[in-house]
Amino acid sequence: MKILSAGVIIIGDEVLSGRTKDTNSNFIAKKLIESGIKLEQIIVIKDDEKLIINTVNDFKQKFSYVFTTGGIGPTHDDITSKSISKAFKKKYVYNKEAYKILENYYSKNNFNEGRKKMARMPEGVKLIHNPLTFAPGYQIENVFVLPGVPAIMEKMFFNVLDKIQKGFSKKIITVNTNLFESIIALDLEKIQKKYKKCSIGSYPYFYFDKKKGGVNIVISSWEMENIQEVVDEIKNMIRLKGGKISLV
Amino acid sequence: MKILSAGVIIIGDEVLSGRTKDTNSNFIAKKLIESGIKLEQIIVIKDDEKLIINTVNDFKQKFSYVFTTGGIGPTHDDITSKSISKAFKKKYVYNKEAYKILENYYSKNNFNEGRKKMARMPEGVKLIHNPLTFAPGYQIENVFVLPGVPAIMEKMFFNVLDKIQKGFSKKIITVNTNLFESIIALDLEKIQKKYKKCSIGSYPYFYFDKKKGGVNIVISSWEMENIQEVVDEIKNMIRLKGGKISLV
């Protein structure tokens, strides 16, 4: 069984300076896991041509799908499309279809140079419809190029999902306990060693004000048909340690 | 003038699966810029030994400082410290000081194997104090190893800031206008070309319900003594285009 994989490239100085909180990667991560696609890596890089070229070339080799967000607007600091043209050794041209969409949307009189720039893309791409502000994104091979504004990106991502292959769903069950992580650490490791095709994640949390805490244990697998056996073993272990159990 | 740079490595399957929203990178980004350190890259990777080793080795060469979060807890999926030991070709040992801190905190009877694991680190590190749950982080050369739980990481980051060199502050002024981005795109590009040591970022926003929008123009520089000249030129340009101006 081949597992579909993905990488996300967030392009934007504003995320690195802390000015903007990136919410796009979390949105994409959730949609991908629902679609049975394994997100392998997220990277945040500057608006820098060489860096965009190298990162896109690296990611498109490594992963089934690559998603970029940011840098496809009308201003001088929007250099994603030019850089991606270079990464794919394609000409950076006016896409006729995108040009028409934008000309219609803005009307001929208001279709200025900045707006025209949003129709410039690598040669031969497939457009991704933008239902909000109409400037389209596009697909080039296994790379999907999307805007950075979350409200727009999110709407467009539903159109992306129509274009990609879906994988087998990941099986995920979360068990919550009031026991501290360190109490169950050794037993959890034993169970993990027994079930190698299943991933057991342990995520502690603390309420410092109430001096309380606990652990969410996330049992998940792309490959196993059924993970209930692993879940039951973990629940038994927690009971033996005197812990409470709740399913999340 | 040497600009201090930094990279952030977020280690954790839970961020890639979308289960956890990473807030650590934004917190660190803001603290770094306040400290005059330029955050160059953020990467989110899986709990995978090879990947951690390669990423840490890559980042510690590229940047003045590297910050990792996640994977230093008591369970089997916490493999950051072991991996970092390998990256630095150091033994993975019980740190005596960390061992004592934890033994004191938990009392001898409750100091179980899982908790002892949190004292295992690469040989010869400097500890970073954890005022909340006491399991320390550490510094090895230019790499700072921190936990993933935001409340704990954030408290510890203030102790990290005491240990690092501060850079020259970045000058930042944001100008807001009600004009659309495309209207000012060409002029903004001209101003950017004139002032190459200054970075002019253009960040549009939209209120789709009100059919309104605008742009935040962020003028910033690590190198220029004074960016007011650039700001004034942008404000004049906006006025000439009939736009409103507000400072943010």
Side-chain angles (χ1 to χ4, degrees):
Chain A
M1 188 185 95
K2 192 183 171 278
I3 296 169
L4 294 168
S5 65
V8 168
I9 306 172
I10 306 289
I11 301 167
D13 292 353
E14 70 277 21
V15 176
L16 292 165
S17 70
R19 198 183 158 271
T20 301
K21 267 186 200 165
D22 157 48
T23 60
N24 288 334
S25 61
N26 185 256
F27 179 89
I28 295 174
K30 284 180 182 160
K31 292 297 158 204
L32 290 178
I33 207 163
E34 285 168 20
S35 307
I37 297 166
K38 189 177 186 185
L39 178 55
E40 293 274 354
Q41 214 154 295
I42 301 166
I43 191 163
V44 185
I45 59 172
K46 293 185 293 182
D47 304 303
D48 176 283
E49 186 175 283
K50 265 193 199 162
L51 210 49
I52 297 173
I53 294 173
N54 292 341
T55 310
V56 167
N57 279 333
D58 178 40
F59 272 42
K60 77 185 173 78
Q61 301 285 347
K62 277 187 189 155
F63 309 122
S64 316
Y65 297 114
V66 179
F67 306 95
T68 78
T69 75
I72 61 167
T75 51
H76 65 276
D77 57 339
D78 292 303
I79 60 165
T80 298
S81 287
K82 197 175 181 183
S83 309
I84 287 183
S85 303
K86 289 190 182 177
F88 281 92
K89 299 190 169 58
K90 297 277 182 193
K91 282 185 193 160
Y92 176 54
V93 296
Y94 284 109
N95 180 294
K96 278 184 191 165
E97 200 186 337
Y99 195 96
K100 267 187 204 161
I101 292 169
L102 287 162
E103 196 178 40
N104 264 331
Y105 177 64
Y106 288 117
S107 83
K108 278 198 181 175
N109 290 338
N110 292 316
F111 194 36
N112 57 35
E113 285 306 310
R115 286 168 177 161
K116 280 181 190 167
K117 189 186 167 200
M118 294 192 283
R120 290 190 80 181
M121 299 170 180
E123 200 165 23
V125 302
K126 283 181 218 161
L127 297 188
I128 299 163
H129 177 56
N130 167 352
L132 281 177
T133 53
F134 288 84
Y138 55 88
Q139 174 184 2
I140 177 164
E141 293 180 20
N142 62 336
V143 178
F144 295 80
V145 180
L146 298 163
V149 177
I152 306 174
M153 194 289 295
E154 292 176 12
K155 288 275 183 196
M156 289 171 73
F157 204 77
F158 292 97
N159 297 324
V160 170
L161 288 172
D162 289 340
K163 294 177 196 292
I164 61 181
Q165 200 190 332
K166 306 297 179 299
F168 296 87
S169 288
K170 191 180 191 185
K171 271 70 68 184
I172 309 176
I173 295 174
T174 301
V175 176
N176 171 276
T177 173
N178 62 329
L179 292 177
F180 281 116
E181 211 185 11
S182 58
I183 307 285
I184 54 171
L186 281 185
D187 291 275
L188 220 48
E189 187 174 5
K190 275 182 208 153
I191 299 173
Q192 174 68 84
K193 280 189 180 155
K194 186 167 162 193
Y195 298 99
K196 294 205 167 139
K197 291 196 170 170
C198 177
S199 154
I200 304 173
S202 168
Y203 306 110
Y205 55 87
F206 305 93
Y207 300 115
F208 292 105
D209 45 343
K210 298 178 196 154
K211 296 198 173 178
K212 268 173 48 173
V215 191
N216 285 315
I217 302 163
V218 180
I219 301 100
S220 65
S221 180
W222 292 97
E223 291 162 297
M224 286 171 76
E225 287 279 314
N226 193 331
I227 56 173
Q228 195 56 49
E229 192 185 342
V230 192
V231 171
D232 291 342
E233 203 157 320
I234 289 171
K235 285 161 81 176
N236 278 337
M237 180 271 286
I238 293 171
R239 275 188 210 102
L240 284 171
K241 297 264 175 192
K244 286 182 203 157
I245 295 168
S246 57
L247 286 177
V248 182
Chain B
M1 190 184 93
K2 192 184 170 276
I3 295 170
L4 295 168
S5 65
V8 168
I9 306 172
I10 306 289
I11 301 167
D13 292 353
E14 70 278 20
V15 176
L16 292 166
S17 71
R19 197 181 159 274
T20 301
K21 267 187 200 166
D22 157 49
T23 60
N24 288 335
S25 61
N26 185 256
F27 179 89
I28 295 174
K30 283 179 182 161
K31 292 296 160 206
L32 290 178
I33 207 163
E34 286 167 19
S35 308
I37 297 166
K38 189 176 186 184
L39 178 55
E40 293 274 353
Q41 214 154 296
I42 302 165
I43 192 164
V44 184
I45 58 172
K46 293 184 293 184
D47 304 303
D48 176 282
E49 187 176 282
K50 265 193 199 163
L51 211 49
I52 297 172
I53 293 172
N54 292 341
T55 310
V56 168
N57 279 333
D58 179 39
F59 272 44
K60 78 185 171 79
Q61 300 286 347
K62 277 187 189 156
F63 308 122
S64 316
Y65 298 113
V66 179
F67 307 94
T68 78
T69 74
I72 61 167
T75 51
H76 65 275
D77 58 338
D78 292 304
I79 60 165
T80 298
S81 287
K82 196 176 181 183
S83 308
I84 286 182
S85 303
K86 289 190 182 177
F88 281 92
K89 299 192 167 59
K90 297 277 182 193
K91 283 185 193 161
Y92 176 55
V93 297
Y94 284 108
N95 179 293
K96 278 184 191 164
E97 200 186 336
Y99 196 95
K100 268 186 203 162
I101 291 169
L102 289 162
E103 196 178 41
N104 263 333
Y105 178 62
Y106 288 116
S107 85
K108 277 197 182 175
N109 290 338
N110 292 316
F111 194 35
N112 58 35
E113 284 307 309
R115 286 166 177 164
K116 281 180 189 166
K117 189 187 167 197
M118 294 192 283
R120 290 191 78 182
M121 298 169 182
E123 201 165 22
V125 302
K126 283 180 217 160
L127 296 188
I128 299 163
H129 176 56
N130 168 352
L132 281 177
T133 53
F134 288 84
Y138 54 88
Q139 173 184 2
I140 176 164
E141 295 180 18
N142 62 337
V143 178
F144 295 80
V145 180
L146 298 161
V149 177
I152 305 173
M153 195 289 295
E154 292 175 12
K155 289 274 182 198
M156 288 170 74
F157 204 78
F158 292 98
N159 297 325
V160 170
L161 288 173
D162 290 340
K163 294 178 196 291
I164 61 181
Q165 199 190 331
K166 306 297 180 297
F168 295 87
S169 288
K170 191 181 190 185
K171 272 70 68 186
I172 309 175
I173 296 175
T174 301
V175 176
N176 172 275
T177 173
N178 63 329
L179 292 176
F180 281 116
E181 212 185 11
S182 58
I183 307 285
I184 54 171
L186 281 185
D187 290 276
L188 220 48
E189 187 174 4
K190 274 181 209 154
I191 300 172
Q192 173 69 84
K193 281 190 179 154
K194 186 168 161 192
Y195 299 99
K196 293 203 167 135
K197 291 197 167 168
C198 176
S199 154
I200 303 173
S202 168
Y203 305 110
Y205 55 87
F206 306 93
Y207 300 114
F208 293 105
D209 46 342
K210 299 179 196 155
K211 297 199 173 178
K212 269 173 47 173
V215 191
N216 285 315
I217 302 162
V218 180
I219 301 100
S220 64
S221 179
W222 292 97
E223 291 162 295
M224 286 170 76
E225 286 279 316
N226 192 332
I227 57 174
Q228 195 55 48
E229 192 185 340
V230 192
V231 171
D232 290 342
E233 202 156 322
I234 289 171
K235 284 160 82 176
N236 278 336
M237 180 271 288
I238 292 170
R239 276 186 211 105
L240 285 171
K241 297 264 175 193
K244 286 181 201 159
I245 295 168
S246 58
L247 287 179
V248 181

